[in-house]
Amino acid sequence: MVRRRAARARAVLTPPTGPDGPEGRFTSPLRGERAAARLGLALAASFGAAFATGLISHFMQHPPGWAQWPSRPVNLYRVTQGVHVIGGLATLPLLAAKLWTVYPRLLRRPPVRSAADAGYRAVVFLLVGGALFQAVTGVLNISYWYAFPFPFTTAHYWTSYVLIGALLVHAAREWPAARRAVMAGPGDAVDRRGFLLTVAGASGAVALATAGEAFPPLARLAVLAPRRPGTGPQGVPVNTSAAGAGVLAAARDPAWRLTVTGRVRREVVLSLDDLRALPARTARLPIACVEGWSADADWEGVRLRDVLRLAGVDDDARVRVESLQTWGDYRASRVAPAHWRDPLTLLALRLNGEPLHPDHGFPCRLIAPNRPGVLQTKWVHRLVVE
């Protein structure tokens, strides 16, 4: 029984030498057991890291009722989302090499040899399809090219569960053979070592050419990054301009007012001059976007908690911050008590020593520690206490 199981495991990882289908014609050691196993382990680690950091991003944006995400450390989201995007891009050479190594087995004939084999082939189909879907849609998303008719965040989130589930089933089945291949003694062919080193080098080059979007010292090398620190109005990148959001006229209207309403003891209405008259605070915080880029900046304004105290808000209240923007999934965001009570959470009026540029949210925007950029609402005009 043990021998039969070991033989089946070796048959999955080692291409046969017979003429039956494409797999019989590809017998290079680069498509052998050891190369496939080592690439598979690297991909498993990469997919696992992407899954974990992706969950952090999702639940920061859509927190369940029982979860209270902390406001500190201020760079937590910057790091996790940078790892998610930069690491995801570095996975592309690994994925391409793995598919090149095993594709003759994916095209074998006959495609199904038993009922159990049919079930496993379905798992492999979900694994390969899920990996390609995540890779392609992820690259399109960070490139701001939405060439698909479905919501990216929803599809990316649920497909990640399919991918990880299929990966776990695949790993459980292949682990004995993969372990033997990886733990085997010396004897790797020179061309196999060169192949694996080339793949590792390609992944490292992709990471190096992207990491500058979140790590300023490498900004000059970030040729693959969609946004670079220091690029944009007032030295900070933007994704959505005031003109593109359709708020330019409303933002510049002298009649603009900030209203604090909802579950308050007294409603408060403040003009821009009223906000400027309140005690000013300065905080150096990153703006960290879901596409992986981030940039440090000096923000000056009034503490959100000081404005809410004017309205007599309870300590356990949640606050909905509403934008002048009338459309889009992120025209409003919710701020939990841990964040609005943090002294670093500001209604910013100035950026890097200058009044806010309209593209950065003039006349007033939210900036808070450890929050995704899509939740740092711009062009704020209403605070609704819930």
Side-chain angles (χ1 to χ4, degrees):
M1 178 67 71
V2 173
R3 290 179 179 177
R4 286 199 298 271
R5 288 179 179 173
R8 285 199 300 270
R10 284 194 297 272
V12 171
L13 286 173
T14 306
T17 57
D20 186 20
E23 58 181 343
R25 297 192 295 271
F26 293 94
T27 57
S28 165
L30 301 184
R31 290 192 167 96
E33 183 177 277
R34 300 186 74 176
R38 290 175 178 178
L39 288 170
L41 289 174
L43 271 177
S46 182
F47 285 154
F51 182 65
T53 53
L55 288 184
I56 291 173
S57 180
H58 178 82
F59 288 121
M60 278 190 171
Q61 295 180 58
H62 310 283
W66 48 266
Q68 291 290 326
W69 295 106
S71 60
R72 308 293 178 95
V74 298
N75 284 304
L76 175 61
Y77 184 77
R78 180 186 204 173
V79 171
T80 60
Q81 196 62 12
V83 169
H84 182 77
V85 174
I86 298 166
L89 289 173
T91 300
L92 297 179
L94 290 174
L95 179 59
K98 175 69 172 180
L99 292 177
W100 181 86
T101 301
V102 302
Y103 87 85
R105 277 163 268 166
L106 301 178
L107 302 177
R108 76 181 189 193
R109 293 195 301 267
V112 175
R113 296 169 180 171
S114 68
D117 185 55
Y120 179 63
R121 296 282 285 181
V123 170
V124 171
F125 174 80
L126 292 176
L127 177 60
V128 174
L132 291 174
F133 179 87
Q134 296 295 77
V136 171
T137 57
V139 169
L140 291 177
N141 178 64
I142 65 173
S143 302
Y144 309 100
W145 182 27
Y146 298 100
F148 35 81
F150 47 81
F152 165 76
T153 52
T154 302
H156 203 68
Y157 172 70
W158 288 111
T159 303
S160 69
Y161 286 103
V162 175
L163 173 58
I164 290 299
L167 177 61
L168 290 174
V169 174
H170 175 69
R173 177 183 169 115
E174 304 298 341
W175 174 246
R179 184 176 182 274
R180 281 193 302 274
V182 173
M183 299 298 291
D188 264 357
V190 173
D191 55 351
R192 183 188 297 125
R193 290 198 299 270
F195 171 63
L196 294 175
L197 288 173
T198 299
V199 174
S203 293
V206 171
L208 188 64
T210 312
E213 68 176 2
F215 187 57
L218 297 179
R220 291 186 178 182
L221 301 179
V223 294
L224 298 180
R227 299 285 189 272
R228 296 189 196 185
T231 302
Q234 297 174 280
V236 179
V238 295
N239 279 352
T240 303
S241 67
V247 301
L248 193 56
R252 290 175 170 171
D253 188 346
W256 173 90
R257 296 293 184 272
L258 175 69
T259 302
V260 186
T261 187
R263 191 163 62 92
V264 298
R265 293 186 179 89
R266 52 194 168 274
E267 189 169 282
V268 173
V269 179
L270 300 170
S271 67
L272 184 55
D273 287 338
D274 293 332
L275 282 174
R276 288 169 175 163
L278 293 174
R281 297 290 187 271
T282 300
R284 184 162 184 82
L285 293 173
I287 185 82
C289 192
V290 294
E291 287 87 9
W293 64 263
S294 58
D296 288 308
D298 293 318
W299 307 89
E300 183 182 341
V302 297
R303 290 174 176 169
L304 178 57
R305 71 183 188 185
D306 292 345
V307 173
L308 294 175
R309 296 300 187 203
L310 294 176
V313 174
D314 294 334
D315 286 345
D316 62 347
R318 291 177 177 266
V319 181
R320 187 172 74 251
V321 181
E322 297 184 353
S323 172
L324 291 169
Q325 190 174 358
T326 58
W327 53 270
D329 294 335
Y330 300 104
R331 61 184 178 273
S333 68
R334 283 179 167 80
V335 185
H339 277 87
W340 72 254
R341 294 203 304 258
D342 192 296
L344 293 181
T345 300
L346 305 178
L347 291 173
L349 307 176
R350 298 173 65 85
L351 169 59
N352 288 336
E354 301 174 352
L356 278 177
H357 188 280
D359 290 348
H360 282 302
F362 177 86
C364 172
R365 74 163 298 161
L366 175 69
I367 186 71
N370 194 28
R371 272 169 70 89
V374 292
L375 302 184
Q376 308 282 37
T377 307
K378 298 193 286 189
W379 312 297
V380 175
H381 81 115
R382 192 194 311 272
L383 307 175
V384 181
V385 181
E386 301 175 334

